[in-house]
Amino acid sequence: MDNYKLYIFDWDGTLMDSIARIVTSIQIAAERLSLAPPSDDDAKSIIGLSLVPALQKLFPDLEAHTVNEMIAAYKAQYSTTEVASPLFEHVKEMLSLLRTQNKLVAVATGKARQGLNHMLDETQLHQHFDMTICADESVSKPAPDMIHQLLEKLNVKPEEAVMIGDSRHDLNMANNAGVASIGITLGADKRESLDACQPNAIVDSILELKALVTGH
C-alpha cells in the first residue's frame, strides 16, 4: 500500500481523536432543543456524513428550520466543549514521511470548511496537504464526488489513489469512486463494519498505518 501517488485521509476519527467530542456535542445540542439525544452508537453512525444529512438521519421528523437550529447548537457546543480532540499520536510523523517520499496528500472530510480550517490552524498541519475538500464544497459521503474532485484537481488516476478512513461512509465513498481504501479502527465504526466494505486493508493504529503506507 506504499506505492500510490495520492493518499486521501478522512479527518475525524482517522487523523484526529475527535469522536467523543462530536458525539457529546450532538447529544448536548439535542437536549438544548428539547430533542431526545441519540445514543452513542447512533451518533457515531452519522460521523463522516455532511451535517445536514447526518442530522436528518438522526432526527428524521425535524422541520427545516429546526435542522438549522440544531446545526447552530451543535457548532456552538463543539467549539466550547471541554472534551479534548487531539491528533492521534504519530500522525505528524506519518504525514511528514509521506511528504518526504513526494507523495500527494489530501483530506476529504464531512467537516465544513470553517471547521477544518480551524483544526488545521490549531494543529499546524496546513503544509502537510496538497489539497483539502470539505462537506460544504461537495456532495456528502458516500457519494464519490469528493474523491473525483481531488483526482481531477491533482491530476491523479483512480488506480493511483487510496482513501483512508474510520467509517463505512469513507470506505463506501472509495468504492463508489473506484479507488483503493484502508480502514482504521480508531474512530466511528468497528472492524466488522469496516470489513463489510471490503477495503484493501484494515489497521488498528497510526503506527500500523504509517508502516503500511510509507514502508517504514
Side-chain angles (χ1 to χ4, degrees):
M1 303 298 293
D2 61 350
N3 59 350
Y4 290 93
K5 182 177 181 180
L6 170 63
Y7 290 81
I8 307 168
F9 292 89
D10 172 56
W11 186 267
D12 293 306
T14 300
L15 298 178
M16 178 167 276
D17 188 7
S18 49
I19 301 302
R21 183 173 183 172
I22 294 171
V23 168
T24 299
S25 297
I26 290 172
Q27 292 168 336
I28 292 175
E31 290 174 347
R32 289 182 175 173
L33 292 180
S34 299
L35 301 172
S39 67
D40 288 359
D41 286 344
D42 285 346
K44 286 180 182 179
S45 74
I46 55 84
I47 294 175
L49 298 175
S50 302
L51 199 48
V52 170
L55 293 177
Q56 289 173 335
K57 184 177 179 181
L58 282 179
F59 308 101
D61 296 327
L62 289 190
E63 296 182 1
H65 70 89
T66 311
V67 171
N68 291 333
E69 290 176 2
M70 182 64 188
I71 289 173
Y74 167 76
K75 288 182 176 180
Q77 180 60 36
Y78 188 89
S79 65
T80 59
T81 185
E82 296 182 359
V83 179
S85 57
L87 289 175
F88 287 114
E89 191 175 4
H90 305 296
V91 161
K92 286 188 176 181
E93 177 187 348
M94 174 183 64
L95 295 176
S96 295
L97 188 51
L98 285 170
R99 299 295 283 173
T100 63
Q101 294 176 340
N102 296 315
K103 304 293 188 180
L104 294 171
V105 184
V107 168
T109 177
K111 283 187 173 301
R113 171 55 60 187
Q114 183 179 2
L116 180 63
N117 282 349
H118 179 73
M119 291 296 100
L120 290 172
D121 289 341
E122 188 175 280
T123 58
Q124 299 183 327
L125 285 185
H126 277 285
Q127 72 276 13
H128 290 279
F129 300 110
D130 295 280
M131 184 176 173
T132 61
I133 188 163
C134 297
D136 51 353
E137 299 165 339
S138 188
V139 181
S140 177
K141 302 173 185 179
D145 298 57
M146 287 188 183
I147 292 178
H148 285 168
Q149 289 176 251
L150 291 170
L151 295 178
E152 180 180 359
K153 293 290 186 180
L154 296 172
N155 194 28
V156 175
K157 299 175 183 177
E159 61 268 22
E160 296 175 320
V162 59
M163 175 73 206
I164 300 109
D166 67 299
S167 82
R168 59 190 179 277
H169 307 304
D170 301 316
L171 304 187
N172 284 329
M173 176 175 65
N175 291 339
N176 291 334
V179 304
S181 65
I182 301 170
I184 186 164
T185 62
L186 297 178
D189 279 334
K190 297 177 181 178
R191 175 177 282 268
E192 51 266 33
S193 294
L194 300 177
D195 191 53
C197 301
Q198 299 183 313
N200 297 75
I202 298 177
V203 297
D204 298 312
S205 69
I206 297 296
L207 277 179
E208 189 179 351
L209 179 61
K210 179 175 78 73
L212 186 65
V213 300
T214 70
H216 295 283

